[in-house]
């Protein structure tokens, strides 16, 4: 065990040594040639990681996932326009609240905890009246539910609506093919599967989404306005500096490093992303084998809807909300509950990004969870659970 605990919450996450080193450089000027080249390259890499086409525009601005969500809500939808939110938990509900504050006519398609709205229910909501945009959370971090964005993006197009996916707990960890699926906005934050410290709001907007902003009747607040940021991103992509609000130069540097690492995982960007998604999927299966051996069950109601980037697990009989601190006593930090309706009844373990390149750390995590359960008085076979995970990881 190293001298510091292993951070296995669903973001911020453990970052790679190269990204860590990149965050330690002397702060670059936003107009220095090296920074211009580096930021431009990071933006171009975002297109590759998002699997977006060249007409789609990447944005990297200071902020987080919440800011990226609010920017999407206010750039796509004007007051009075209709928006459909297919919610799978806390973050879908947050998006609905942002849209309500924007003055939109919001239709929430809810789901039971651990479940997702059916395509039929979303289709019905879209069919009822002309809708400007459909908003969906790719992985809702409060429930661990992952939706399949492909049919939802297609459904939105069928009904003449834009589609926006919150990928904060998914981007670069769960399969997403922005161009192939015809999705219009895919947004994230730097501290999750992208593998950076917190501080950057990241999104790619399709040509359709950019046109929708241009045609918007009521502009968004200036700091959230895609139109204010657009010339900046276009300038850096073209190898020129530009200013609207000072870019987070150190984080932009780290972004370049992190995305380069992701894209080095294959001979082509598409192959690298395939490999990256497969790594997340394989690792999640292995973690699940450990959880099952510990007698734990997942909050998502089906395997198909279970995220690969985190596990949301019900507390077993005998354990209570003190479990994360019992686990921390064994050197691994996991998260408690977030969804208000079940907050004290479950806990969450993140497994995304660089940590997946270190099977020993995944085994350490399963062991710590097992030991925490044992300390809580639950009868568990800790060695058996670690062995089950190791076997799936091919690390036995
Ligand atoms: N959406 C999802 C799915 C998230 O998991 C989070 C953060 N946990 C957010 C949005 C908000 O991101 P941030 O905390 O960076 O504002």
């Amino acid at each position: 065990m190293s001298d510091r605990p292993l951070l296995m919450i669903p973001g911020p996450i453990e970052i790679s040594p190269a990204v860590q080193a990149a965050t330690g450089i002397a702060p670059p000027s936003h107009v220095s040639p090296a920074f211009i080249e580096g930021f431009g390259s990071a933006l171009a890499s975002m297109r590759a990681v998002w699997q977006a086409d060249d007409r789609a525009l990447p944005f990297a601005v200071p902020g987080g996932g919440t800011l990226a969500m609010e920017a999407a809500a206010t750039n796509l939808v004007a007051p009075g326009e209709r928006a459909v939110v297919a919610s799978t938990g806390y973050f879908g509900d947050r998006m609905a609240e942002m849209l309500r504050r924007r003055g939109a006519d919001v239709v929430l398609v809810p789901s039971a905890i651990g479940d997702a709205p059916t395509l039929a229910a979303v289709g019905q909501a879209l069919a009822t009246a002309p809708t400007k945009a459909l908003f969906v959370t790719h992985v809702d971090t409060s429930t661990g539910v992952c939706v399949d964005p492909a049919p939802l993006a297609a459904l939105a197009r069928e009904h003449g609506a834009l589609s926006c996916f919150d990928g904060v707990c998914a981007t670069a960890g769960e399969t997403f093919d922005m161009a192939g699926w015809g999705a219009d906005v895919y947004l994230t934050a730097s501290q999750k599967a992208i593998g950076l410290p917190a501080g950057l709001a990241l999104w790619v907007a399709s040509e359709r989404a950019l046109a929708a902003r241009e045609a918007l009747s009521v502009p968004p607040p200036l700091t959230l306005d895609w139109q204010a940021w657009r010339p900046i991103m276009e300038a850096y992509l073209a190898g020129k500096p530009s200013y609207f609000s000072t870019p987070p130069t150190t984080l932009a540097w780290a972004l370049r490093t992190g995305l380069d690492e992701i894209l080095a995982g294959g001979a082509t960007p598409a192959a690298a992303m395939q490999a990256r998604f497969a790594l997340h999927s394989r690792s999640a299966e292995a973690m699940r084998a450990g959880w099952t051996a510990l007698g734990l069950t997942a909050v998502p109601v089906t395997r198909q809807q279970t995220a690969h980037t985190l596990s949301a697990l019900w507390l077993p009989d005998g354990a209570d909300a003190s479990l994360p601190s019992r686990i921390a006593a064994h050197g691994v930090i996991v998260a408690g509950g977030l969804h208000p309706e079940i907050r004290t009844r479950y806990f969450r373990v993140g497994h995304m990004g660089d940590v997946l390149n270190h099977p020993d750390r995944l085994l350490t995590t399963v062991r710590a969870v097992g030991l925490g359960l044992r300390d809580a008085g639950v009868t568990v076979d800790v060695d058996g659970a670690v062995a089950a995970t190791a076997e799936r990881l091919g690390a036995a």
Side-chain angles (χ1 to χ4, degrees):
M1 179 95 294
S2 70
D3 52 357
R4 70 176 179 86
L6 188 59
L7 187 60
M8 297 298 284
I9 63 175
I13 63 168
E14 294 281 327
I15 60 177
S16 76
V19 171
Q20 173 97 53
T23 63
I25 62 163
S29 154
H30 60 293
V31 297
S32 71
F35 179 77
I36 295 165
E37 192 278 321
F39 190 32
S41 160
L43 291 168
S45 294
M46 280 177 67
R47 277 203 189 109
V49 169
W50 267 243
Q51 309 203 65
D53 63 43
D54 284 347
R55 294 181 311 268
L57 189 66
F59 293 75
V61 311
T66 304
L67 183 135
M69 290 167 71
E70 192 126 52
T74 55
N75 280 268
L76 294 180
V77 182
E81 290 183 326
R82 192 169 188 270
V84 171
V85 179
S87 180
T88 47
Y90 179 84
F91 290 103
D93 293 350
R94 173 177 289 184
M95 184 55 103
E97 175 60 15
M98 286 172 166
L99 287 157
R100 275 186 218 107
R101 288 182 183 212
R102 172 70 167 151
D105 170 16
V106 181
V107 177
L108 183 75
V109 188
S111 51
I113 284 171
D115 212 342
T118 61
L119 277 181
V122 178
Q124 200 179 359
L126 288 168
T128 309
T131 302
K132 186 71 178 295
L134 168 68
F135 293 85
V136 183
T137 315
H138 191 177
V139 168
D140 200 301
T141 324
S142 72
T143 55
V145 169
C146 182
V147 302
D148 180 359
L152 289 161
L155 199 59
R157 281 194 167 236
E158 224 174 89
H159 288 90
L162 298 157
S163 62
C164 172
F165 296 90
D166 169 353
V168 173
C169 199
T171 307
E174 304 281 357
T175 301
F176 198 89
D177 180 353
M178 186 157 175
W181 295 347
D184 290 301
V185 180
Y186 194 40
L187 64 90
T188 193
S190 49
Q191 75 274 19
K192 306 263 186 175
I194 288 275
L196 304 178
L200 280 178
L202 305 165
W203 67 88
V204 176
S206 73
E207 196 177 27
R208 276 195 340 152
L210 295 167
R213 161 60 194 98
E214 267 178 43
L216 204 63
S217 55
V218 181
L222 193 60
T223 51
L224 297 176
D225 192 351
W226 293 359
Q227 291 287 89
W229 288 106
R230 183 176 177 168
I232 313 307
M233 303 307 146
E234 288 174 340
Y236 280 97
L237 276 165
K240 295 183 207 122
S242 191
Y243 173 76
F244 164 59
S245 170
T246 308
T249 51
T250 306
L251 279 174
W253 202 259
L255 177 66
R256 190 235 185 120
T257 306
L259 297 180
D260 280 355
E261 276 191 329
I262 291 172
L263 293 171
T268 62
M273 294 318 296
Q274 215 58 44
R276 174 102 178 163
F277 299 141
L279 174 66
H280 280 74
S281 159
R282 256 194 338 268
S283 308
E285 290 288 333
M287 297 305 276
R288 265 201 288 276
W291 308 146
T292 303
L294 290 171
L296 297 170
T297 53
V299 173
V301 293
T302 66
R303 276 289 282 277
Q304 210 195 352
Q305 288 176 162
T306 304
H308 298 115
T309 48
L310 85 157
S311 296
L313 301 161
W314 293 112
L315 291 169
D317 284 346
D320 61 21
S322 69
L323 183 65
S325 53
R326 294 183 188 278
I327 296 168
H330 295 284
V332 177
I333 311 293
V334 302
L338 178 62
H339 195 295
E341 285 174 45
I342 56 170
R343 194 188 297 274
T344 57
R345 293 169 46 210
Y346 76 118
F347 69 107
R348 299 170 303 143
V349 183
H351 32 81
M352 56 188 130
D354 185 62
V355 77
L356 308 184
N357 297 317
H358 304 274
D360 56 310
R361 297 182 191 168
L362 300 181
L363 299 181
T364 297
T365 302
V366 172
R367 180 171 297 284
V369 170
L371 292 174
L373 286 166
R374 200 192 59 191
D375 293 350
V378 182
T379 305
V380 282
D381 175 4
V382 178
D383 289 337
V386 173
T389 308
E391 194 187 328
R392 298 302 291 265
L393 287 171

